[in-house]
Amino acid sequence: QVQVVESGGGLVQAGGSLRLSCAASTTTFSAYGFGWYRQAPGKQREWVAGISKAGITNYADSVKGRFTISRDNTKKTVYLQMNSLKPEDTAVYYCSADLRNTYWGQGTQVTVSS
């Protein structure tokens, strides 16, 4: 069982920045791919960004150029740097750790005020 814990959410004004962190408790962290997802009130969870075990990154069109996903295998942590935040980025952000199974964290709230 892998425990995934997100942190770093909060309230920020439009145009501001936040960095989310995702810590995963596994001895094989480097073998995992990770994803960031978000779910706004009344909407389905949507994929935001992903990073493979090799460090290859992908982004949803809605965040491309504003968000950056990265990983630090020594710290067993994945990051989501979010810049130029918009009110429509408001959501609970979830991290997933993917190998043979997918493990989810509890989420962290991001609120962007206009």
Side-chain angles (χ1 to χ4, degrees):
Q1 187 76 10
V2 177
Q3 286 195 332
V4 177
V5 180
E6 304 97 335
S7 62
L11 173 64
V12 65
Q13 288 188 334
S17 299
L18 281 175
R19 188 177 79 158
L20 305 183
S21 298
C22 168
S25 62
T26 171
T27 56
T28 57
F29 181 93
S30 61
Y32 279 75
F34 289 86
W36 282 100
Y37 294 74
R38 66 187 181 187
Q39 187 166 17
K43 295 188 176 181
Q44 289 189 330
R45 188 174 298 190
E46 65 172 353
W47 173 78
V48 173
I51 186 166
S52 72
K53 63 180 181 179
I56 297 170
T57 60
N58 285 286
Y59 300 91
D61 287 345
S62 59
V63 306
K64 201 171 291 183
R66 300 189 297 123
F67 291 10
T68 302
I69 188 171
S70 62
R71 63 189 296 158
D72 186 334
N73 290 342
T74 61
K75 295 183 178 179
K76 299 184 180 180
T77 302
V78 173
Y79 303 98
L80 185 68
Q81 177 66 44
M82 306 187 295
N83 299 328
S84 302
L85 283 162
K86 304 175 181 180
E88 50 263 44
D89 294 318
T90 295
V92 178
Y93 283 71
Y94 298 90
C95 178
S96 72
D98 310 293
L99 191 54
R100 285 175 288 277
N101 297 303
T102 297
Y103 300 93
W104 293 92
Q106 81 291 345
T108 185
Q109 176 71 47
V110 172
T111 303
V112 184
S113 64
S114 58

